[in-house]
Amino acid sequence: MSDDKKPSNWQQAITGEWHGYPSLFEADGTHVGYNKVSRASEFKDGRTTYWMETDFDAFGPLMTRFDLNTRFNFGVIDSDQDRIYTGPDFIGSGRPFGMMVDSNYYSPGWNVGLRTMNHVVPDLGIQVYSSQLFEGDTMVGVFNGIYCVSQDYATNPDTQKQVEDFLLQEKKLGRKAYNLPVKNEGKFTGEFEVYNDQQELIGHNKVTIHHKPINLVHSEQTIEIEGVINRKWTAMRTRTNNSHQFHGPDMFGNGFSYGRYLYSTRHSYAESFKLWSREAVVDSNYTQVCTWQFLESQKEKYMTHGTLTWEEGDEVLGAQYVE
């Protein structure tokens, strides 16, 4: 291979060994275990190789399905337009959008198709990972979790201790439920990068979500977006266990949560415009790392991603009394 070939921007952004403890969920959202993972995408002599070592600790049929007891080691055709996975472990491709890659590929050993999203968040020092697992269009399970990165794990005891502490924390938090504040109103704010359908960064959106609980399972939210996209929607949200619904008047749809992650689709009323989203709560302060994909006429219009921070307001569901 030519030594003149350079790694893509994404390949450079993920240099190092990544460590995580993703949770494994059945299709109905039941948490059934964990998968301790070390992985890296390495560029050498003009070629890119992705390796992954896994250690499953789960129960039920998904444990038998996914615990192959082997090191994954597969080729990648690397570029900032498409990253093509050439097997033998994974066949398919991923599309980079800055610090986030949206991949669709197939695992012969697991017999599942995967939609995997890896979002590096430098400000938080993490990578937010998820894989939705399919047979055809049927969901059979979900992996998700947070990763940290190291450059000297094999040789530095301090780094090894930091990583092990991180993994213990991830194991504790991995099955926490996706919940937004249930008693206090407030707002989420953040800035999202905006990419067009050619994966070009075309600007930024300022995102504000005004959140007001109505009762313990209902809330009213108004989403305001300013920048490349200028929109405003209000909808009532409801939650039953890990099933979420959006009841208008401006957006209608539903979602399903797996641990700390919510995957949802919302349709803008009376127009051919919808929002697909993955939102992950990554700390105890309700910080959300989000990917929002906007579709118009059933075609991708924008891919956006960013971090929302929570600013707490008044308690609106305080103690009730009968005098």
Side-chain angles (χ1 to χ4, degrees), residues 12-123:
Q12 295 176 61
I14 60 172
T15 298
E17 184 174 341
W18 292 86
H19 311 269
Y21 221 121
S23 287
L24 174 59
F25 300 88
E26 292 183 339
D28 66 358
T30 300
H31 183 273
V32 294
Y34 303 90
N35 180 23
K36 185 178 181 182
V37 178
S38 296
R39 55 176 166 82
S41 181
E42 298 176 341
F43 178 86
K44 184 178 180 181
D45 298 329
R47 284 180 169 160
T48 300
T49 303
Y50 200 115
W51 63 263
M52 181 170 68
E53 294 181 345
T54 64
D55 183 8
F56 279 88
D57 180 13
F59 62 88
L62 293 184
M63 175 66 180
T64 305
R65 179 173 196 150
F66 292 117
D67 188 20
L68 297 183
N69 193 30
T70 188
R71 177 186 170 108
F72 294 84
N73 201 40
F74 57 97
V76 180
I77 301 174
D78 173 44
S79 80
D80 282 309
Q81 188 65 38
D82 292 294
R83 284 171 62 84
I84 301 172
Y85 314 128
T86 57
D89 303 291
F90 298 108
I91 310 294
S93 63
R95 295 187 302 156
F97 296 86
M99 292 291 97
M100 191 275 293
V101 165
D102 182 14
S103 300
N104 282 269
Y105 54 99
Y106 175 66
S107 166
W110 291 343
N111 184 29
V112 292
L114 300 92
R115 182 176 186 179
T116 295
M117 305 191 88
N118 290 309
H119 183 183
V120 176
V121 188
D123 290 347

Side-chain angles (χ1 to χ4, degrees), residues 136-285:
D137 290 333
T138 301
M139 180 87 74
V140 297
V142 169
F143 295 129
N144 60 45
I146 312 299
Y147 281 75
C148 68
V149 67
S150 71
Q151 306 299 331
D152 58 356
Y153 180 80
T155 59
N156 190 330
D158 290 338
T159 300
Q160 294 167 9
K161 178 64 165 56
Q162 292 171 4
V163 169
E164 292 308 312
D165 289 345
F166 175 85
L167 295 179
L168 287 174
Q169 182 74 358
E170 269 301 287
K171 187 173 182 179
K172 178 180 177 182
L173 297 176
R175 56 186 179 185
K176 286 282 187 180
Y178 177 94
N179 278 313
L180 301 184
V182 296
K183 292 191 175 182
N184 286 73
E185 66 180 355
K187 63 181 180 180
F188 292 93
T189 58
E191 184 177 88
F192 286 21
E193 293 183 350
V194 181
Y195 296 82
N196 63 17
D197 60 355
Q198 300 301 308
Q199 299 162 256
E200 298 165 331
L201 177 64
I202 58 174
H204 295 79
N205 285 335
K206 177 184 176 182
V207 177
T208 304
I209 302 177
H210 300 275
H211 174 81
K212 183 177 181 179
I214 299 170
N215 54 46
L216 296 179
V217 292
H218 294 73
S219 63
E220 181 184 82
Q221 285 193 344
T222 298
I223 300 173
E224 295 185 74
I225 305 176
E226 301 172 281
V228 176
I229 304 169
N230 292 280
R231 304 295 295 259
K232 182 177 180 178
W233 298 282
T234 296
M236 184 179 74
R237 294 179 61 133
T238 66
R239 178 185 60 82
T240 304
N241 300 325
N242 55 337
S243 178
H244 300 248
Q245 300 86 40
F246 307 89
H247 297 283
D250 300 324
M251 276 192 153
F252 293 81
N254 59 17
F256 209 78
S257 60
Y258 294 86
R260 298 168 289 173
Y261 289 63
L262 174 66
Y263 309 83
S264 61
T265 301
R266 285 165 268 191
H267 301 263
S268 183
Y269 182 69
E271 60 178 323
S272 180
F273 196 82
K274 69 180 180 181
L275 164 63
W276 181 93
S277 62
R278 185 197 75 170
E279 298 161 327
V281 175
V282 298
D283 61 24
S284 60
N285 297 317

